[in-house]
């Protein structure tokens, strides 16, 4: 039989070398502050020496300054008092680190126009993987020009660089020439040898140690000569000495050798990509404009049902819902509600919006209705008791709070929430229903608390066995009560991190008198604690 013909081998494409784009927004906070001002005010902002400050334990400290402020001597990290000693006319404006971080996250998603994914480099940097995407912009040089033009059009000052690793791209963007490109076949040490050791993204204390050792450049750290040629013996000696000095530091920012290996690509550096998670949104484009309220309510019911299905697919519940109504004349009417707890109940959403649509003027008609959940939280699926649901037709507490907030305003309603404190009068705090619940301890099931606590504990006179025996008789509000049963003590120590050192501990007792009435009393202090005189007794609660 004739032998089968061998098929020719299909050449496999070579994988593209990795390319990382580093973008440094050198003046992010200042540019954001200028963009928030009017055009007339922005000119005055550029002319006057201005600095953004942040309150610290040692006083206001400068986080950024404009050109006039930098020329006057203001620097990031300087105390405001020191800066005003150099420039008395320096204008101080409160900074917004949280707003800068939120803006950086939005810019990271927007920067994915140059690559498939991007990562944050806080507080003012972005990293974009542009591997195999540079040809879409006409090459890497044109890609960097497009980056600079796109950010400049939005009033943001940037420095960008391209390199095979994130560390090399970051170093070139911060300390290299503008629009620097490190080719894949180029020796990184030859290009980066003259950069300062601060280009390795090290902590301040590590940089101080390196300066004391006389190491100021990357070439000196890696054992590279001034001509850019690596000396194997010098490199091995430099690494061995630094390895012994930093052998106990495992964090990348605290170990210069680890940062150097990441810069050269010898050690991988994991990056956390920013993933866009679009908010749930449902809408209806109507064939005929709506002018009657009954039809609008019907459309709202359909949108609420669609929103519930969208939230169920994500395993979330809505905390803030925004309804937008597009009129025929182009005007958009918006209504927003905020919920006390995450919900996926369509009837509850419809009922809340119904109270906000009474003043809607349809004009020539509404042609599109859109509902989106701008704030959602995880909400697990629960199995309801069908029998109890059929018998109980009451209103949930969260639903009642939502109705009161819509009718009276969010500031007119408060609710009690537990607070992490063993002190009874501090174990509960009143706050608005939309405020986040503070961290709390688990319920103390083994300690029975009374149903009623007095607003202010009332002093009582107690007869007890010395020095710290249980109560036997006490006088409260002019009446003497004999103790029939007593349980305790339950000792609660003072909160040393909040109170003064002279605060005394408390011993609580649950007592019952001869008539069957039960009380919650405590003794403040013990004899010999050196924090006061004779211990005092107080009544703080009543049992049912």
């Amino acid at each position: 039989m004739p032998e089968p013909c061998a098929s020719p081998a299909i050449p496999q494409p070579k994988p593209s070398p990795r390319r990382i784009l580093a973008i440094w927004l050198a003046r992010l906070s200042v540019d954001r502050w200028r963009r928030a001002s009017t055009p007339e005010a922005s000119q005055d902002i550029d002319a006057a020496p201005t600095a953004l400050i942040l309150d610290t334990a040692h006083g206001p400290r400068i986080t950024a300054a404009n050109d006039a402020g930098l020329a006057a001597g203001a620097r990031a990290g300087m105390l405001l008092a020191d800066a005003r000693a150099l420039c008395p006319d320096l204008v101080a404006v409160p900074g917004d680190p949280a707003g800068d971080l939120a803006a950086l996250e939005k810019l990271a998603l927007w920067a994915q126009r140059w690559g498939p994914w991007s990562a944050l480099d806080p507080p003012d940097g972005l990293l974009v993987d542009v591997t195999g995407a540079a040809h879409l912009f006409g090459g890497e040089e044109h890609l960097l020009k497009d980056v600079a033009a796109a950010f400049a059009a939005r009033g943001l000052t940037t420095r960008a660089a391209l390199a095979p690793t994130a560390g090399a791209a970051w170093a070139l963007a911060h300390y290299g020439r503008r629009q620097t490109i490190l080719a894949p076949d180029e020796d990184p040490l030859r290009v980066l040898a003259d950069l300062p050791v601060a280009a390795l993204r090290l902590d301040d204390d590590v940089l101080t140690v390196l300066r004391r050792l006389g190491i100021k450049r990357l070439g000196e750290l890696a054992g590279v000569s001034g001509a850019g040629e690596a000396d194997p013996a010098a490199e091995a000696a430099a690494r061995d000495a630094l390895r012994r000095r930093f052998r106990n530091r495992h964090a990348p920012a605290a170990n210069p050798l680890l940062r150097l290996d990441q810069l050269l690509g010898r050690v991988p550096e994991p990056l956390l990509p920013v993933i866009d998670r679009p908010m749930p949104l449902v809408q209806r484009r109507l064939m005929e404009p709506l002018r009657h309220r009954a039809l609008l309510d019907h459309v709202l019911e359909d949108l609420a049902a669609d929103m519930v299905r969208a939230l169920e697919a994500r395993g979330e519940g809505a905390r803030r819902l925004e309804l937008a109504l597009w009129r025929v004349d182009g005007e958009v009417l918006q209504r927003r509600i905020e919920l006390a707890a995450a919900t996926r109940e369509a009837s509850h959403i419809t009922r809340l919006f119904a109270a906000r649509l009474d003043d809607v003027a349809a004009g020539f008609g509404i042609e599109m209705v859109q509902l989106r959940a701008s704030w959602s939280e995880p909400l697990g699926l629960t199995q309801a008791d069908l029998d109890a649901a059929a018998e109980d037709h009451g209103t949930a507490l969260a639903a009642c709070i939502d109705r009161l907030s819509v009718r009276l305003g969010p500031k007119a309603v408060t609710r009690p929430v537990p607070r992490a404190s063993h002190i009874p009068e501090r174990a509960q705090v009143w706050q608005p229903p939309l405020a986040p619940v503070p961290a709390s301890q688990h319920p103390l099931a083994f300690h029975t608390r009374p149903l009623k606590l007095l607003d202010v504990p009332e002093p009582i006179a107690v007869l007890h066995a010395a020095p710290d025996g249980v109560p036997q008789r006490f006088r409260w509000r002019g009446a003497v009560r004999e103790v029939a049963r007593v349980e305790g003590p339950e000792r609660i120590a003072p909160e040393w991190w909040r109170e003064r050192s002279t605060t005394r501990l408390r011993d609580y007792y649950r007592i019952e008198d001869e008539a069957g009435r039960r009380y919650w009393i405590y003794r403040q202090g013990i004899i010999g604690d050196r924090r006061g005189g004779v211990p005092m007794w107080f009544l703080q609660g009543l049992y049912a």
Side-chain angles (χ1 to χ4, degrees):
M1 298 180 60
E3 295 182 359
C5 297
S7 59
I10 301 177
Q12 298 294 330
K14 295 182 179 180
S16 301
R18 191 183 186 192
R19 307 296 287 164
I20 300 296
L21 169 65
I23 304 173
W24 177 34
L25 292 101
R27 299 157 53 90
L28 175 61
S29 55
V30 176
D31 291 339
R32 284 188 61 248
W33 174 55
R34 182 187 295 108
R35 290 177 59 189
S37 305
T38 60
E40 295 78 7
S42 61
Q43 297 179 0
D44 299 336
I45 289 172
D46 295 333
T50 308
L52 301 180
I53 62 172
L54 191 65
D55 291 333
T56 62
H58 301 285
R61 193 176 294 273
I62 295 176
T63 59
N66 62 352
D67 294 335
L70 295 175
R75 296 292 183 271
M78 181 185 296
L79 290 174
L80 179 61
D82 298 338
R84 280 185 170 162
L86 301 174
C87 179
D89 298 332
L90 183 67
V91 180
V93 178
D96 185 15
D100 294 341
L101 182 59
L104 192 65
E105 292 179 353
K106 295 180 181 179
L107 289 174
L109 295 174
W110 175 74
Q112 292 179 2
R113 57 182 296 178
W114 295 295
W117 63 265
S118 60
L120 291 178
D121 181 28
D124 53 7
L126 301 174
L127 297 173
V128 186
D129 189 352
V130 296
T131 304
H135 68 279
L136 301 176
F137 301 89
E140 294 183 346
E141 295 182 359
H142 291 83
L143 187 147
L144 290 180
K145 293 180 181 178
D146 186 68
V147 170
F151 278 96
R154 285 157 178 79
L156 298 174
T157 305
T158 60
R159 290 173 59 95
L162 268 171
T165 62
W170 190 95
L172 291 172
H174 285 72
Y175 297 95
R177 297 187 304 271
R178 289 183 177 273
Q179 312 294 327
T180 305
I181 299 176
L182 181 61
D185 55 350
E186 209 168 356
D187 185 9
L189 288 180
R190 184 184 299 274
V191 179
L192 306 175
D194 293 335
L195 297 184
V197 291
L200 288 178
R201 300 170 292 168
L202 298 172
D203 294 335
D204 293 339
D205 58 338
V206 180
L207 295 176
T208 302
V209 173
L210 293 177
R211 293 192 190 99
R212 292 176 179 174
L213 296 175
I215 301 176
K216 300 180 180 180
R217 303 289 175 182
L218 289 182
E220 300 171 354
L221 180 65
V224 179
S225 63
E229 297 178 357
D231 185 0
E235 182 179 0
R239 289 185 64 90
D240 185 61
L242 290 174
R243 185 181 295 108
R244 290 196 302 269
R245 180 173 290 272
F246 296 98
R247 62 180 179 272
N248 295 327
R249 303 195 180 190
H250 305 288
N255 194 321
L257 293 180
L258 180 57
R259 280 299 196 197
L260 181 62
D261 291 340
Q262 290 179 346
L263 182 144
L264 300 177
R266 299 171 183 171
V267 175
E269 180 180 359
L271 299 176
L272 183 63
V274 178
I275 300 176
D276 184 17
R277 188 173 177 81
M279 63 184 67
L281 185 146
V282 293
Q283 64 181 14
R284 286 286 190 277
R285 294 182 180 272
L286 307 174
M287 298 181 61
E288 295 291 337
L290 296 181
R291 299 185 59 184
H292 301 286
R293 174 64 186 275
L295 298 177
L296 181 59
D297 291 341
H298 183 69
V299 173
L300 181 59
E301 292 176 0
D302 294 342
L303 288 177
D306 294 345
M307 177 59 68
V308 168
R309 286 190 289 269
L311 292 172
E312 285 180 350
R314 298 162 59 107
E316 296 178 345
R319 286 293 305 274
R320 182 188 298 119
L321 291 166
E322 298 176 357
L323 181 68
L325 308 173
W326 270 264
R327 299 199 321 187
V328 174
D329 56 3
E331 185 177 355
V332 181
L333 307 177
Q334 295 185 351
R335 297 293 184 271
R336 184 177 70 174
I337 60 172
E338 293 187 354
L339 307 160
T343 183
R344 286 198 301 260
E345 187 178 350
S347 59
H348 182 51
I349 296 173
T350 305
R351 190 183 304 112
L352 293 178
F353 270 116
R356 303 295 303 275
L357 298 178
D358 294 335
D359 58 343
V360 169
F364 293 102
I366 298 173
E367 60 181 357
M368 188 174 73
V369 184
Q370 184 183 90
L371 179 64
R372 67 172 184 171
S374 57
W375 177 15
S376 59
E377 293 179 349
L379 181 63
L381 296 175
T382 57
Q383 177 64 52
D385 189 346
L386 300 180
D387 295 334
E391 297 176 359
D392 186 10
H393 298 284
T395 303
L397 177 60
C400 178
I401 293 175
D402 294 336
R403 293 185 185 180
L404 294 176
S405 300
V406 171
R407 291 181 177 272
L408 306 178
K411 296 183 179 180
V413 182
T414 57
R415 62 172 178 174
V417 295
R419 184 166 57 180
S421 177
H422 289 270
I423 306 299
E425 58 266 25
R426 292 180 180 169
Q428 180 176 283
V429 63
W430 291 84
Q431 68 178 26
L434 301 178
V437 178
S440 177
Q441 62 209 14
H442 292 290
L444 302 177
F446 52 90
H447 293 318
T448 304
R449 293 290 184 262
L451 295 179
K452 180 181 180 180
L453 286 179
L454 302 181
D455 294 335
V456 179
E458 299 182 7
I460 57 176
V462 177
L463 176 65
H464 62 92
D468 53 357
V470 298
Q472 299 178 0
R473 180 187 304 166
F474 70 97
R475 178 188 296 272
W476 177 52
R477 294 183 179 178
V480 178
R481 295 169 173 82
E482 298 288 341
V483 177
R485 297 179 180 84
V486 61
E487 183 181 1
E490 173 193 342
R491 177 160 294 179
I492 298 180
E495 297 176 340
W496 54 266
W497 60 92
R498 179 181 296 156
E499 300 174 337
R500 296 180 299 178
S501 59
T502 57
T503 304
R504 313 182 77 175
L505 56 81
R506 300 179 182 181
D507 283 338
Y508 280 85
Y509 295 89
R510 290 178 289 275
I511 62 177
E512 182 179 334
D513 61 6
E514 293 178 343
R517 292 183 291 265
R518 304 183 64 195
Y519 309 89
W520 201 39
I521 66 175
Y522 69 88
R523 179 182 61 229
Q524 186 171 5
I526 56 177
I527 297 178
D529 59 1
R530 297 181 181 180
R531 293 189 176 186
V534 179
M536 302 293 293
W537 289 84
F538 296 89
L539 188 146
Q540 190 167 13
L542 302 173
Y543 290 91

